[in-house]
Amino acid sequence: MHEQHPRTLPVQYSDIEFENNAQRLPLVLCLDTSSSMNGRPIDTLNEALDSWTHELQHDVGLSYSVEVAVITFGGHGVRAWQGPNPLQPDTRVSPFVPAHAFRAPRFTASGVTLLTEALELAMQIVAARKTELRAAGLQYYRPQICLVTDGLPTDGTGHYTESWRRVVPVLGDEQLARRFRLYAIGVGGITDQGEAVLRELAPKFNARLQGFPFKELLQMMSASASAEQKGAGDEVFEKIFSQFRTQRPAWES
Amino acid sequence: MWRVHGLSVPGYRHRRDGVPCQDAWAHRQSGSAQVLAVADGAGSRPRSDEGARLAVELATEHFSRWTWANAGAPAAARTVRMELQITFRELRAAFLKQVGDTPGDFATTLTVVVLTPEWLGHLSVGDGFVVLRAGTSEEGEPQFHALPRPAAPGEYGNETVFVTSPGAEEWVHTDCVQDRGISGVLLSTDGLAQAALSTRPPGPNTSFVSAVLRSLDEPGPDPVRDTEALTDLLTSDRLTALNADDKTLLRAVRT
């Protein structure tokens, strides 16, 4: 893994050695890659992820702090990615990659919408990463999970399932305990019913957006990461999210 | 005699967004004692830069008043720690009186060192830290020691206790070091914690602390240039990558 750091120390201090001990900010992108995303939507997602990766790597305040993990739910069921590489199910390898070393996967769209299982995996990898960071003596910020879907949760045969209801109390407890922030975003042609599911999953940070504004969505995640680093209060996150919901890039101001 | 130098620089995002530095430092000599203070205003609070400045001003004022009478004599560690607590309560009361009805807007951490010929007193509320240079190894290398920090109040690295927090007195950490061999002291806010402190094993990052104390041991011919070099270090991408927050370094070396 790439671990080179920017080297811009004045000559008087050029002999200082540093550890790679920046406070970590785990960020999970939990993305719908089911068949309904085929065509332009998945292309847009791939392009946006590429571009965001580039921006993140050039943000010196985030690039050594943010750690990105990707989970997809689609053609291969629920899958975790370590950068561009899909991980085997039940692997003990962590999918988190420091932002400065992250390379975006290239997705294709197919299959069903195992949203519930994807969220369960997201919670599991966040808890495991916290354990690793604590064991390494590293401090961390509150993790962020960003769920993006254009449809309704299904079972393995592609039929709507109510199984998502089983994670609602768990997510409620976890968010109340401030274990992570969950953002649930509906895109494309998501229905009223799909939107209602997202509202239940993430009562505070849910949105239904026109089209596939993945670029803005990922920029919102970066803005939230910066706010987390500054120790911002909940009202700041709510403001950032509210501006995102109305699809105005006002956080840039 | 001690040579003292302090510097606060705004962090990466504050520089980019034109937001003022929310860290502050202050130093005052009080007879044979030095009072050193650093403070870190809460990033999310609107007047925390004023809070940080007020905290270090009050700290140097209150602790100087106390050390004037006590600096020359040996003191039991327990007495020093008790006096630090009492003085903190007084300065906190003065702080809350001055900031008025919305103390949370002025939220700030505070770390103070009282350096006397006989002992060093340390008081901290929040996540500032102190590293001492004292003694040498068998090979004659200087030894560095990080003073214990207050317990963190929560799981996350950006959660801390402020002077204005309810019950702040309960979270105050105090220490007394009775060592006449202290030759260097470094105080900092948490913006430099990753650079100046090591994770494994926990303790000072010797290469960082020795370098920044060395540059005060052996200052160049032009103090402005020395400060510029230190500013360049604190604002470098290398340090920003470790922590994008404001940074403060207050150093004292025995001359």
Side-chain angles (χ1 to χ4, degrees):
Chain A
M1 196 176 290
H2 172 74
E3 287 292 350
Q4 289 294 308
H5 289 93
R7 303 200 68 83
T8 51
L9 299 183
V11 64
Q12 297 94 317
Y13 299 107
S14 58
D15 60 337
I16 298 177
E17 294 169 6
F18 294 100
E19 289 179 22
N20 182 21
N21 59 354
Q23 280 191 39
R24 306 300 207 265
L25 201 166
L27 192 165
V28 183
L29 299 175
C30 194
L31 306 171
D32 185 342
T33 56
S34 63
S35 55
S36 58
M37 290 282 290
N38 202 21
R40 189 66 199 142
I42 203 75
D43 292 343
T44 309
L45 175 59
N46 283 324
E47 286 162 22
L49 199 55
D50 260 343
S51 154
W52 177 70
T53 300
H54 189 74
E55 285 170 21
L56 200 57
Q57 288 172 345
H58 285 82
D59 186 324
V60 70
L62 295 180
S63 59
Y64 285 80
S65 176
V66 170
E67 300 182 324
V68 184
V70 177
I71 290 172
T72 53
F73 45 106
H76 295 88
V78 175
R79 172 177 265 186
W81 300 70
Q82 188 191 52
N85 305 312
L87 295 175
Q88 292 298 317
D90 302 324
T91 180
R92 296 178 74 87
V93 174
S94 172
F96 286 96
V97 180
H100 67 89
F102 180 75
R103 285 185 294 132
R106 196 96 197 142
F107 305 123
T108 54
S110 64
V112 296
T113 312
L114 298 172
L115 182 150
T116 310
E117 293 78 2
L119 267 180
E120 286 171 335
L121 180 60
M123 286 190 278
Q124 192 184 315
I125 64 169
V126 162
R129 186 60 188 149
K130 285 184 177 183
T131 303
E132 288 174 352
L133 292 170
R134 279 196 296 269
L138 291 167
Q139 290 186 305
Y140 51 86
Y141 300 102
R142 195 190 313 189
Q144 299 181 174
I145 299 174
C146 182
L147 170 73
V148 186
T149 183
D150 71 340
L152 284 168
T154 71
D155 59 20
T157 63
H159 293 96
Y160 171 71
T161 170
E162 295 271 330
S163 68
W164 60 272
R165 293 191 185 279
R166 74 172 180 245
V167 292
V168 171
V170 182
L171 285 170
D173 289 348
E174 295 282 289
Q175 290 176 90
L176 197 63
R178 305 166 66 245
R179 301 230 162 82
F180 51 77
R181 281 181 213 279
L182 173 64
Y183 298 84
I185 318 292
V187 293
I190 193 164
T191 60
D192 289 347
Q193 191 185 356
E195 185 186 7
V197 171
L198 299 182
R199 251 198 321 265
E200 292 273 328
L201 296 173
K204 213 178 241 182
F205 298 112
N206 65 82
R208 178 183 188 174
L209 301 175
Q210 297 295 316
F212 297 90
F214 295 121
K215 180 167 183 271
E216 291 78 5
L217 190 157
L218 291 166
Q219 284 174 341
M220 185 272 291
M221 293 308 293
S222 294
S224 295
S226 295
E228 192 67 55
Q229 284 186 331
K230 283 196 278 193
D234 284 346
E235 70 286 355
V236 174
F237 293 90
E238 283 159 22
K239 189 176 171 196
I240 290 170
F241 193 71
S242 152
Q243 287 164 340
F244 162 69
R245 280 178 75 147
T246 54
Q247 300 197 32
R248 288 182 290 115
W251 58 82
E252 287 174 1
S253 66
Chain B
M1 293 290 286
W2 292 84
R3 182 180 298 129
V4 179
H5 182 269
L7 182 66
S8 292
V9 297
Y12 167 70
R13 232 164 251 109
H14 286 167
R15 293 199 302 277
R16 195 184 61 183
D17 301 341
V19 174
C21 181
Q22 291 161 341
D23 275 9
W25 65 272
H27 158 241
R28 188 182 288 191
Q29 183 161 350
S30 172
S32 58
Q34 310 284 337
V35 179
L36 310 159
V38 298
D40 177 1
S44 57
R45 302 309 174 114
R47 302 181 69 178
S48 62
D49 54 331
E50 296 171 57
R53 285 199 299 275
L54 179 61
V56 295
E57 281 164 21
L58 288 173
T60 51
E61 179 193 327
H62 281 256
F63 284 100
S64 295
R65 206 180 291 158
W66 168 57
T67 53
W68 180 253
N70 295 280
R78 205 177 62 167
T79 308
V80 171
R81 293 179 65 178
M82 198 173 68
E83 290 293 341
L84 289 168
Q85 289 270 7
I86 291 168
T87 307
F88 174 73
R89 280 202 284 275
E90 289 169 1
L91 94 80
R92 181 170 185 265
F95 185 100
L96 293 176
K97 192 174 170 189
Q98 287 205 32
V99 298
D101 295 337
T102 54
D105 287 353
F106 297 81
T108 179
T109 70
L110 177 65
T111 300
V112 181
V113 162
V114 178
L115 190 55
T116 80
E118 299 290 332
W119 47 264
L120 177 148
H122 165 227
L123 175 142
S124 195
V125 55
D127 48 16
F129 64 93
V130 175
V131 179
L132 307 182
R133 182 178 63 189
T136 53
S137 67
E138 286 178 1
E139 294 78 31
E141 294 295 320
Q143 297 292 288
F144 299 93
H145 316 271
L147 295 184
R149 300 169 80 184
E155 178 182 8
Y156 299 119
N158 54 355
E159 295 174 328
T160 193
V161 177
F162 301 109
V163 171
T164 49
S165 301
E169 290 97 339
E170 305 303 314
W171 290 90
V172 167
H173 181 91
T174 57
D175 271 314
C176 175
V177 180
Q178 291 174 315
D179 184 344
R180 290 178 153 210
I182 295 169
S183 65
V185 181
L186 177 156
L187 287 77
S188 183
T189 54
D190 76 323
L192 282 172
Q194 286 72 27
L197 300 175
S198 191
T199 309
R200 298 224 150 188
N205 175 359
T206 302
S207 75
F208 179 88
V209 181
S210 66
V212 297
L213 291 182
R214 179 187 64 208
S215 63
L216 192 60
D217 286 327
E218 301 157 9
D222 183 353
V224 175
R225 286 216 162 172
D226 286 351
T227 299
E228 282 172 358
L230 192 61
T231 304
D232 289 346
L233 172 69
L234 301 190
T235 56
S236 65
D237 282 356
R238 186 66 188 83
L239 262 68
T240 299
L242 293 177
N243 192 317
D245 203 357
D246 298 340
K247 295 179 176 61
T248 290
L249 197 55
L250 178 53
R251 304 165 294 165
V253 294
R254 199 186 283 275
T255 56

